[in-house]
Structures are given as structure tokens and as C-alpha cells.
Amino acid sequence: MERRSGYCLSVIMLVYGVVFLHCLVMTSFAANVTYDHRALIVDGKRRVLISGSIHYPRSTPDMWPDLIQKSKDGGLDVIETYVFWNLHEPVRNQYDFEGRKDLINFVKLVEKAGLFVHIRIGPYVCAEWNYGGFPLWLHFIPGIEFRTDNEPFKAEMKRFTTKIVDMIKQENLFASQGGPVILSQIENEYGNGDIESRYGPRAKPYVNWAASMATALDTGVPWVMCQQPDAPPSVINTCNGFYCDQFKQNSDKTPKMWTENWTGWFLSFGGPVPYRPVEDIAFAVARFFQRGGTFQNYYMYHGGTNFGRTSGGPFIATSYDYDAPLDEYGLIRQPKWGHLKDLHKAIKLCEAAMVATDPNITSLGSTIEVSVYKTDSQCAAFLANTATQSDAAVSFNGNSYHLPPWSVSILPDCKNVAFNTAKINSVSTISTFVTQSSEADASGASLSGWTSVNEPVGISSENAFTRMGLVEQINTTADKSDYLWYSLSVNIKNDEPFLQDGSATVLHVKTLGHVLHAFINGKLSGSGKGNSGHSNFTIEVPVTLVPGENKIDLLSATVGLQNYGAFFDLKGAGITGPVQLKGFKNGSTTDLSSKQWTYQVGLKGEELSLSNGGSTLWKSQTELPTNQPLIWYKASFDAPAGDTPLSMDFTGMEKGEAWVNGQSIGRFWPTYTAPNDGCTDPCNYRGGYNANKCLKNCGKPSQLLYHVPRSWLKSSGNVLVLFEEMGGDPTKLSFATREIQSVCSRISEAHPLPVDMWASEDDARKKSGPTLSLECPHPNQVISSIKFASFGTPQGTCGSFIHGRCSISNALSIVKKACIGSKSCSLGVSINVFGEPCKGVAKSLAVEASCT
């Protein structure tokens, strides 16, 4: 096989007495990857590896290099991604690897940046992705049963897995070929909870077959199975979760690996926005490495966007931001990115000791744990306080160390603290989306030339068909559209009880979900929706019937297909009944469920490809029709000025899908708001985290802003197409650009020395101390103003700092002198710099600045 070659251009830097060796370019990769009980072994050396998930189709190819570089700058060694079967093989034996789907290009860009790759082929991926990544056509193969010892399923799974492996081999991208891919994954979380057990006696043979099938593909790199306690010895069982420090491998011959450390949680339409404090993430990571872990992956490091109809759930939102270190738009989220970067540096300072031996773990009471990695020449220690309220003073190696609650201190030399998970040295930022009117403005971001097309109510396609009784939606649409029409004509005679004076008639419909609109004689009479916890629901809609023929048209819509759980592929949608007309006053009921219904898969506008904006059906009217259901809108616009990330504010719209220049930016649903209660902002990071612990945005739309990738735009003449289900006003739409308002930092006298300045020599440490550093987020910016500065006992958080009882008057002038006009600045947090505001009091420096 061809072997890649390259070299490392080294630069030796002397900083605060510490010698740093920087590798500026790295293009040669491992030729051999194995493992033992301690770690992955890359080219004969055990490695401590930090990884992060970036799913290539959830961003755009023009974003990939920047995302990868920011990941590398943040201290990552590995980029991890799933491979999405339904994305690449939408029709059996017809493959698509273009654009956002170009897996090989993505891997090569990671290689170019000098990072490793972990390919999680699955091919079941979960990932809040539509149908868990399986193509819908798989469901219709005769005799197939997913994820069990079933020959039709195994044949298809092997065929796709082999396809991906062969593609990677053809490009020489496995480490055994000199490429960056050091790991692969087969299956995914099959051993979670009761999933495997529900598949009965055929589950274990399936697990063994999957492992054998994968390893027989001869990739030359290890395979993993995450959350698979009964994984066979040919693969590595790994952990997924918010915490994996207590994880035990199922073999004493495999390393302790964490494939998913959830940096936040996914957003659902109708739910609040979850977030996870970085102090807790850092605590979880440090605890994992403290207790013997050597490979850790952030899920997600960049979450991105569920473009098109790729979101799963159901009810997963279009945004897949995940509160990740790199936000949905690819911008650095501070202090999360910076604090984890410092953590990674501290862990790497311990790597030589960590890979040389197993940790010696000692408990000093119920909440204090000390782990030491020690050899004749190396020593590194981790000191943990797992208490949620109480600080602790820990005696170790003849020294005393202060540990805040729920924190870990890292001592790369078993003496000096390089990092504490609860003490953030990184900057924080406050960012906001600055909205721009859809009217013409200086930026050029104007929506103009509005036209519309009405979507017919009910059956309009020649492809409609009839069936006796009600049909399940997914089996009928094969997910070719979110929409399925159920249509029925009911003849009402003059003497029917429904027409008697004073009689109130109600249409009763029970559905598996996800959304339902009921039209009576062409008019919208009522709607209903499920939620992420319960997709099924019942609506009872008051209706007015007339003598003679009455048309009942029910539009059922899906909002992403089930992606998780045992037999998730069999989870249905649509109207399964009963459908009834009820006369509330006279007690009469007519069941319509078993009547002959007419069905239409999808919308007329979809059949006509209105989303491309090119049809001749678009009509311009003196007054644009608004606030009416089932309507398509089109407008043109010029690209907003600048290069900052762009979103569209969907205020004024209800629910539907949007396309820019023919590419779908996803489903929009700005009127589905989160409950008014249950939010915790700010959230106490101390104590175990779960997906409902830290929530914000209660009482507000789950998602109001939708990512419009800059690379999809032309300088002028862009086309926006909307399909609105329920009724909205598109003239209220606006563009928004992401702007950083403030850069902040708050450092105490008790903070560790910044890890970049860390040295094991006592004399070097004595020359430095806690340091507050500020840096503008964009290359061409400088610090233009200092909004707040206080040395003493300042209170509050970034954006809301206030002076405490102890505050020295000259802090603002000192900070201004050091920082104004510079891209970055640093100040020692010391009375030697600011003077003594109050003796005997622990002091901090808090600063808020703006950059222009």
C-alpha cells in the first residue's frame, strides 16, 4: 500500500521559563494501531486521546476546514463522525456522496489538519437523525427484521458497511494504509437499557455476527461497540453518558474508552433549550482520566443543523446546537471551548505518566479521592472532591490543597496544580443575533418580490388512491414526504340528526401523530399536535355540516421519524382511528373509520417542485395573502453584507419548511413554545447532571432562528421559498447576524496559573501567579472599551458584574491602560498590580470589554 509521508516543523518557544515544542505541520499518520488494557497504541506508543464529534452533513463543506481547525486549536486529537446510511443510499444501490454528503472529502480535510478520525459506521446511528439513519426502503424488504439475527437485515447491513470500508480503503485512509482513520465502530448502543433484551434469544447471535462481520473486513484498525457489555473479545466495548468514570470494561485486555460525553442535549420542538455547564463537563472528563480512562470523545464538539428533513425524534428541532464547544454556526462558545482547551493541555502534561502505569486510587473520606500515576521518572496526580456543597482541604505529598465542591485538581508533577475544573481561566463571551428588517436596508438584506401559490385542500394528484379503512402513514408514504391526505365524502340527508336544530357536531379523530389539520368543506376547522414525549393525540373539532355532500380532508404530517429504542422502526404515524362524527346533544355517533378513504402522498407543490422556485404558477398580487393555511411563498433577496454567520428569524410564521436557492434549511415551527416553568438559568453545575437539570428559554419559541449557510447564497438574486401549513405572515421575516457584544473574565487570587504558563519548577512558578487574559474573538478586532473592571469582591456574571463591598478605585484605569487598542491583554491578579483594597479578604478581578 502507498504510505503517506511528512514531517513536523518544530518551533521551540521559551515562555515564562518553560520550553514549549509546537508541531506546526503534521501529515504523517500511524501505520499500526493496536491496544492493550491501558490505551490505544499508535505506532508502538500508548496514547491519551481527546476526540470530538462533528457530523459532516450537519454543516456545509465550506465550514469543515474551520470547524476542524478550531477543534485542533481546542486540543482535540481525533474527529469522530457517524456515517448516515439513508443519506448516502436513499434508493437501494443508488449512492450519493456529493456536497454535504462527501464523507471522503471530510476525512481528507481532517487528515490535512493533522488529526485522527474515528468512523462510526453503525449503520444504525440514532443521533436524533431521521429513522436512526436507516433508509426507509430497508423496511419494505420481505421478511426483514432490524437489528437482530435476521438474514435479510444482516445481508443489507454487511453490504453497506462493506461499501463504506471499501471507499475508505480505496483512498488509503485507514491508519494501516498511512491514513488518519484509527478506529471504526459497528452497531450503536444496542446494549443500552432493555433494548438488547427485548430482541430475545436472537440478540446475542446478532451482536457476535456484527463484530465478526466488521473485523473480517480487514481494516487494520480496532473496532468498537459502544454501550455493549457483552461485546465479543474481538471488539472494544466503550461507554456513552454524562459520566463514565465508573465504567468497567468487559475485558481486562481492552482500554477504558468513552465514545460519547454529552456536552449538552438535543432540542425538541415544544421544549426548552438544554445546556450543560462547562465546569461539570470538565469535572466528568477529569474524573474519567483520573480513574484510568485514556480515550474520551465529546458528543457533540460541533452539533450543527438538521437541514432538510433529516431530524429524527419525532419532534427533534432543526437546530442541533447541543450546547457544544463550537455552536451551530461554527463559532467558538466561551467559556466552554476555552476551559476544555485548558483541561486538555493539563491532561496532556500528565500523558507520559498516565500511559506508563495504572492509577493508584485512594479514598480520603467519602467525597475525596486521590489518583496517582507514578513511575521511577514520572508522577501525575488527580485530586477530586465529589461533594456538592462543601469545599475540602486535602493533604497530599506533604502539601495542602484547596478543592471546591464537585471539582478535580490536576497535578502533572504530583506537586503543583495546573488546572482545577471549577476555576475557569478562559474568557466568557456574550453574543446575540442582530436582526435586520426584511425591508431594504444598508446591508442589502431585503426580501422582495413576494409571490404565492395556494396548495389545494385535499386530493389534487393523479397518483391518489383509495382504500377501505384507515392506513398507517409511514408504510404509505415511505417517508417520501411529511404529508399524507386522508379524504372522505359524507352525504348528509336533511333528516340526519347532525342537522337538527340546536345540534352541535364534533369531528373526533385519534392519530398516532405527529400533526393533524382537519378541513371541512375546504375550510380549516381545527388542528392538533403531539410532543416529543407523546406523539399520539386525539382532536375533537366542532364542525358545521350542510345537507348533501360534505368533504372531510385530514392532513397528517410527520416531524421526523423515530430514531431510538427497541423496534423503533415499527413505530407508526398517521390516523389509525377511530374517526367519528358525534352529535353531542342527541348522542348520535357515526364511525367513519371503515369507510372508503382516498389518499394522497405529499403535496401538490412538492409534486411540482415549487421548492426550487422555478414554476410558472407563482402569482403576484396587490396584497400578499397572509394568515391562511396551505400556501407557498417565494421572495428574492441579496446576500446580507459581511461574512458573519447568518440566520433567519421566523417571527410571524407558524409551521412548515423553507428553502434557499433550492436547498432546504429545515422545518420551521416558531409557534411551538416551551412550557412556562421548569427552567433553571443559571444552573448549579455541582451534582450529577441530567438532560432536564439545566434548561432555559421557558415560555418562548423552542426555535425562532434558522441557519442560512453563507455558502448557499449568491451576492444577489437569491430565492427563498416557504411552505406554510397553518397560516403566517412572511413579510415579518428578518435576517439576523451573530455578533459578540462582550468579552469577560473573572479570576481570583486562588486560581491556578494559566496552564499555558504552567511549569513544574518552583522558581518559575513563583515569578507568575493567577492572570486574567482577554482576547477579541475575531482576527481584525481590538479591545475598544472596558465596560466594567473591579478588583476586590466583584459580584455577578458576564454582562451583569457589579462592585462588591471591597473594590479599589483605580482598577478601571489600570485595565484600560493595559488593554485598550490591543487584540489581547493580560493582567496579574495581585495587589502588586492593583494595590490593596481590603486586607484579609480573598480578592478577584472581573472585567467586561467590547471589541471592534
Side-chain angles (χ1 to χ4, degrees):
M1 292 287 184
E2 181 184 35
R3 190 68 57 86
R4 283 173 176 75
S5 63
Y7 65 94
C8 177
L9 176 61
S10 300
V11 177
I12 298 175
M13 301 177 65
L14 185 65
V15 181
Y16 293 89
V18 187
V19 175
F20 287 88
L21 184 66
H22 289 267
C23 184
L24 300 184
V25 180
M26 186 185 79
T27 56
S28 73
F29 286 90
N32 185 40
V33 182
T34 58
Y35 58 87
D36 61 16
H37 80 287
R38 277 301 295 133
L40 290 178
I41 300 172
V42 181
D43 259 359
K45 295 181 180 180
R46 289 176 176 170
R47 293 291 304 274
V48 169
L49 295 171
I50 310 290
S51 174
S53 292
I54 300 175
H55 295 159
Y56 52 97
R58 282 175 159 148
S59 54
T60 57
D62 73 297
M63 295 171 65
W64 293 345
D66 185 60
L67 293 172
I68 294 164
Q69 186 60 47
K70 287 174 178 173
S71 301
K72 182 177 182 178
D73 293 344
L76 298 195
D77 305 295
V78 184
I79 300 296
E80 182 180 282
T81 186
Y82 280 125
V83 179
F84 300 87
W85 190 355
N86 54 10
L87 192 75
H88 295 301
E89 195 179 5
V91 177
R92 192 164 186 256
N93 291 318
Q94 295 182 21
Y95 296 99
D96 187 354
F97 291 92
E98 300 297 320
R100 289 187 297 112
K101 307 167 189 178
D102 194 343
L103 168 65
I104 297 300
N105 181 33
F106 179 77
V107 173
K108 287 182 175 180
L109 287 171
V110 178
E111 177 185 37
K112 184 178 180 180
L115 300 180
F116 296 123
V117 179
H118 178 195
I119 294 285
R120 306 177 76 189
I121 299 175
Y124 166 69
V125 299
C126 183
E128 293 72 58
W129 189 270
N130 192 52
Y131 212 49
F134 286 143
L136 241 295
W137 54 258
L138 197 67
H139 172 73
F140 297 100
I141 290 177
I144 199 165
E145 296 177 68
F146 287 12
R147 303 179 76 195
T148 190
D149 190 17
N150 171 267
E151 293 306 320
F153 177 75
K154 291 191 298 182
E156 293 300 317
M157 177 174 167
K158 180 180 180 180
R159 183 178 60 81
F160 180 75
T161 303
T162 303
K163 168 74 175 180
I164 299 301
V165 167
D166 286 348
M167 287 179 63
I168 297 171
K169 281 184 177 181
Q170 287 165 11
E171 298 293 331
N172 294 324
L173 292 173
F174 282 110
S176 56
Q177 302 170 291
V181 179
I182 60 169
L183 281 172
S184 297
Q185 178 178 305
I186 196 69
E187 246 299 335
N188 189 54
E189 296 185 328
Y190 193 66
N192 252 3
D194 66 344
I195 290 176
E196 181 174 352
S197 64
R198 290 187 58 192
Y199 286 93
R202 292 190 296 164
K204 180 59 177 175
Y206 165 67
V207 170
N208 291 338
W209 168 84
S212 296
M213 181 270 292
T215 55
L217 294 175
D218 192 27
T219 63
V221 303
W223 287 82
V224 304
M225 277 186 167
C226 65
Q227 294 292 91
Q228 198 61 50
D230 62 349
S234 59
V235 298
I236 305 171
N237 174 37
T238 66
C239 182
N240 291 355
F242 292 116
Y243 307 95
C244 282
D245 52 286
Q246 302 298 321
F247 173 71
K248 301 291 185 184
Q249 307 97 295
N250 66 350
S251 168
D252 59 6
K253 298 180 180 179
T254 59
K256 185 172 181 175
M257 298 176 62
W258 191 358
T259 36
E260 290 189 16
N261 176 4
W262 303 320
T263 55
W265 202 242
F266 54 84
L267 174 66
S268 297
F269 285 124
V273 177
Y275 65 100
R276 187 179 180 192
V278 68
E279 297 95 328
D280 180 63
I281 300 174
F283 173 79
V285 173
R287 287 284 288 155
F288 177 72
F289 286 109
Q290 174 181 12
R291 296 186 61 85
T294 50
F295 180 101
Q296 188 269 162
N297 176 76
Y298 296 105
Y299 186 101
M300 301 293 294
Y301 200 76
H302 164 72
T305 306
N306 291 315
F307 296 114
R309 299 171 53 246
T310 58
S311 63
F315 296 96
I316 299 298
T318 298
S319 171
Y320 200 67
D321 180 85
Y322 222 88
D323 197 37
L326 301 178
D327 71 12
E328 178 179 1
Y329 300 83
L331 299 178
I332 288 173
R333 172 175 275 118
Q334 295 285 32
K336 184 167 280 189
W337 182 88
H339 192 48
L340 295 178
K341 176 182 180 179
D342 289 344
L343 169 64
H344 304 154
K345 289 179 178 178
I347 291 169
K348 289 294 186 175
L349 290 170
C350 304
E351 181 173 13
M354 291 173 63
V355 298
T357 185
D358 295 314
N360 182 6
I361 302 173
T362 304
S363 293
L364 305 177
S366 60
T367 61
I368 305 299
E369 190 171 270
V370 175
S371 297
V372 179
Y373 294 90
K374 183 175 176 58
T375 67
D376 292 340
S377 59
Q378 302 283 344
C379 187
F382 293 72
L383 315 181
N385 179 8
T386 61
T388 58
Q389 296 181 348
S390 303
D391 290 21
V394 178
S395 293
F396 171 71
N397 271 2
N399 296 310
S400 181
Y401 299 89
H402 171 260
L403 292 177
W406 205 252
S407 79
V408 179
S409 283
I410 300 176
L411 290 64
D413 59 356
C414 284
K415 183 169 62 173
N416 297 299
V417 176
F419 183 88
N420 178 271
T421 59
K423 296 178 179 179
I424 298 174
N425 273 318
S426 170
V427 298
S428 298
T429 56
I430 299 176
S431 62
T432 186
F433 277 93
V434 178
T435 58
Q436 304 164 352
S437 170
S438 62
E439 301 299 322
D441 57 31
S443 74
S446 60
L447 289 163
S448 60
W450 283 105
T451 56
S452 64
V453 177
N454 289 314
E455 175 69 28
V457 174
I459 305 302
S460 60
S461 172
E462 295 180 357
N463 296 321
F465 60 93
T466 59
R467 292 286 188 277
M468 296 300 296
L470 300 166
V471 300
E472 190 277 327
Q473 183 164 348
I474 300 172
N475 280 301
T476 305
T477 66
D479 198 40
K480 297 185 184 305
S481 170
D482 281 356
Y483 301 102
L484 178 64
W485 281 106
Y486 296 69
S487 296
L488 179 71
S489 291
V490 178
N491 193 278
I492 302 296
K493 299 178 181 178
N494 286 323
D495 59 351
E496 288 275 4
F498 297 114
L499 299 179
Q500 293 176 1
D501 291 341
S503 175
T505 304
V506 169
L507 175 67
H508 172 99
V509 183
K510 186 176 182 180
T511 175
L512 296 177
H514 308 145
V515 176
L516 179 64
H517 307 296
F519 295 82
I520 305 297
N521 296 323
K523 302 294 182 182
L524 181 62
S525 296
S527 299
K529 61 181 181 294
N531 57 54
S532 60
H534 301 281
S535 58
N536 57 312
F537 59 92
T538 299
I539 62 169
E540 293 198 330
V541 180
V543 297
T544 300
L545 302 178
V546 298
E549 184 177 294
N550 290 263
K551 194 70 180 301
I552 299 175
D553 294 299
L554 306 176
L555 181 61
S556 178
T558 54
V559 190
L561 303 189
Q562 191 81 17
N563 60 261
Y564 181 73
F567 306 105
F568 76 88
D569 51 297
L570 303 180
K571 179 81 171 179
I575 302 166
T576 54
V579 178
Q580 299 170 329
L581 287 173
K582 294 182 177 181
F584 273 0
K585 288 193 174 181
N586 56 37
S588 61
T589 297
T590 298
D591 195 323
L592 307 176
S593 306
S594 59
K595 302 287 187 181
Q596 179 170 288
W597 290 78
T598 303
Y599 297 94
Q600 176 183 306
V601 174
L603 306 171
K604 187 66 174 179
E606 291 177 313
E607 183 180 324
L608 297 172
S609 300
L610 292 183
S611 60
N612 293 328
S615 172
T616 59
L617 297 177
W618 296 100
K619 295 180 180 178
S620 177
Q621 302 180 40
T622 304
E623 186 173 342
L624 186 71
T626 59
N627 301 310
Q628 67 181 55
L630 301 186
I631 187 166
W632 296 79
Y633 295 106
K634 183 176 79 165
S636 62
F637 66 97
D638 295 341
D643 58 2
T644 55
L646 184 68
S647 71
M648 185 166 284
D649 185 329
F650 271 76
T651 297
M653 301 302 286
E654 287 275 345
K655 179 184 180 293
E657 190 173 353
W659 295 262
V660 171
N661 294 331
Q663 299 196 69
S664 175
I665 64 173
R667 300 183 182 95
F668 62 83
W669 203 349
T671 55
Y672 206 165
T673 58
N676 290 320
D677 54 9
C679 280
T680 48
D681 189 18
C683 177
N684 183 358
Y685 69 84
R686 302 170 185 89
Y689 181 84
N690 62 69
N692 296 312
K693 179 180 179 180
C694 301
L695 304 171
K696 58 185 178 181
N697 214 45
C698 282
K700 299 178 181 179
S702 298
Q703 186 176 355
L704 191 61
L705 299 170
Y706 295 78
H707 184 198
V708 180
R710 288 273 186 180
S711 62
W712 291 5
L713 302 182
K714 302 174 289 185
S715 59
S716 61
N718 298 287
V719 176
L720 171 69
V721 174
L722 310 170
F723 173 65
E724 171 59 61
E725 286 179 30
M726 303 168 69
D729 183 355
T731 64
K732 295 182 179 179
L733 289 172
S734 60
F735 291 99
T737 54
R738 188 69 174 270
E739 309 291 345
I740 303 293
Q741 290 182 316
S742 294
V743 178
C744 302
S745 185
R746 179 178 173 178
I747 305 296
S748 73
E749 292 177 312
H751 267 61
L753 187 73
V755 69
D756 279 343
M757 305 177 186
W758 189 87
S760 59
E761 293 83 3
D762 286 340
D763 57 345
R765 286 189 58 81
K766 289 175 183 177
K767 296 177 182 178
S768 304
T771 302
L772 183 146
S773 297
L774 297 175
E775 183 174 6
C776 292
H778 300 299
N780 298 325
Q781 290 182 324
V782 296
I783 298 170
S784 55
S785 68
I786 303 299
K787 299 179 180 180
F788 179 90
S790 178
F791 179 68
T793 57
Q795 305 296 312
T797 58
C798 187
S800 60
F801 286 135
I802 59 173
H803 294 281
R805 291 183 179 181
C806 167
S807 180
I808 200 161
S809 59
N810 65 349
L812 183 61
S813 62
I814 291 174
V815 174
K816 282 184 175 180
K817 183 177 180 180
C819 298
I820 294 291
S822 300
K823 175 176 172 51
S824 63
C825 62
S826 296
L827 298 102
V829 181
S830 167
I831 58 174
N832 295 329
V833 176
F834 291 94
E836 177 61 88
C838 42
K839 293 184 178 181
V841 176
K843 290 170 279 292
S844 298
L845 174 62
V847 178
E848 179 179 354
S850 61
C851 296
T852 55

